[in-house]
């Protein structure tokens, strides 16, 4: 929606902190290379703009379920009130994503929501968006050498500094919430 999401300190973006944001997106624009963004900040490696603000005046309700390998599943609920009294629209999404992962102790549990309230008339609109993501992922992002890859493809070195069994709770736990207010 034209608002930078990247972390101010590292300039990195971690979409794992906003799981399933694509289900609330109307469009995703990717621009590579040097350019300017809509908020005035320059982009050097490229920029991504995710738009969630299209007006949908149609009432709808969607349930989406996906399953996959390693006990992976995703459940998404999306609801839109449609136009109420010719001026109000409320939209919401809840998502839950879980997986045991291919790598040892690579479990992940992701939850998120998106809520939007819109007041609109023929000349102006006021929209409030709030969205949040909560993630709990086991530290499973380390690489392994070629010998280990040949003998134990799923080996995860995270937590193995403990003698005996690896730490079971070496997890990344993070919640990130955003509020946006738009007047057009």
């Amino acid at each position: 929606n034209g608002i930078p999401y990247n972390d101010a300190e590292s300039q990195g973006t971690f979409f794992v902190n906003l799981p399933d944001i694509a289900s609330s997106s109307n469009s995703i624009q990717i621009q590579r290379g040097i350019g300017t963004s809509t908020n005035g900040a320059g982009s050097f490696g490229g920029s991504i703009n995710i738009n969630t603000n299209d007006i949908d005046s149609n009432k709808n309700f969607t349930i989406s379920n996906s399953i996959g390998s390693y006990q992976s599943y995703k459940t998404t609920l999306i609801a839109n009130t449609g136009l109420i009294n010719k001026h109000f629209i409320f939209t919401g999404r809840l998502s839950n994503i879980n997986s045991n992962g291919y790598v040892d102790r690579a479990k992940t549990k992701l939850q998120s929501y998106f809520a939007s309230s819109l007041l609109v008339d023929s000349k102006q609109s006021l929209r409030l968006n709030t969205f949040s993501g909560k993630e709990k992922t086991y530290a499973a992002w380390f690489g392994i050498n070629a010998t280990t890859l040949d003998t134990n493809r799923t080996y995860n070195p995270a937590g193995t500094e403990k003698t005996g069994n690896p730490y079971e709770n070496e997890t990344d736990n993070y919640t990130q919430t955003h509020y946006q207010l738009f007047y057009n």
Side-chain angles (χ1 to χ4, degrees):
N1 299 323
I3 298 172
Y5 172 71
N6 57 307
D7 177 68
E9 180 181 349
S10 67
Q11 295 301 309
T13 300
F14 303 97
F15 285 106
V16 70
N17 299 334
L18 290 178
D20 203 24
I21 190 67
S23 290
S24 296
S25 302
N26 306 110
S27 66
I28 300 175
Q29 178 187 23
I30 300 172
Q31 176 185 338
R32 64 185 184 127
I34 298 172
T36 58
S37 64
T38 57
N39 56 33
S43 63
F44 297 100
S47 63
I48 300 172
N49 188 36
I50 300 172
N51 180 16
T52 64
N53 280 348
D54 285 359
I55 296 175
D56 184 0
S57 59
N58 298 313
K59 185 186 297 187
N60 60 60
F61 180 78
T62 305
I63 299 174
S64 173
N65 292 297
S66 305
I67 60 171
S69 302
Y70 312 104
Q71 297 176 348
S72 301
Y73 67 89
K74 177 181 124 181
T75 300
T76 303
L77 305 172
I78 301 173
N80 186 347
T81 64
L83 197 56
I84 300 172
N85 295 332
K86 300 181 183 178
H87 294 289
F88 302 98
I89 299 174
F90 300 98
T91 304
R93 174 191 51 83
L94 295 172
S95 296
N96 187 36
I97 304 169
N98 289 284
S99 178
N100 283 342
Y102 174 71
V103 175
D104 296 338
R105 300 174 320 281
K107 292 181 180 179
T108 186
K109 183 174 185 172
L110 310 171
Q111 300 166 326
S112 67
Y113 75 83
F114 177 89
S116 182
S117 303
L118 176 65
L119 171 62
V120 64
D121 67 25
S122 62
K123 294 185 181 184
Q124 59 191 350
S125 69
L126 180 66
R127 180 186 293 265
L128 173 65
N129 293 340
T130 179
F131 51 100
S132 183
K134 180 179 180 181
E135 61 102 359
K136 181 175 184 175
T137 53
Y138 195 90
W141 45 79
F142 302 114
I144 57 176
N145 60 39
T147 304
T148 305
L149 184 64
D150 290 339
T151 59
N152 187 1
R153 296 186 73 78
T154 63
Y155 177 73
N156 180 8
T160 59
E161 58 276 354
K162 173 185 163 193
T163 305
N165 294 326
Y167 290 110
E168 286 296 324
N169 63 347
E170 191 162 324
T171 59
D172 184 26
N173 302 282
Y174 194 77
T175 300
Q176 188 167 32
T177 304
H178 297 266
Y179 302 95
Q180 299 176 334
L181 183 64
F182 299 93
Y183 175 74
N184 292 314

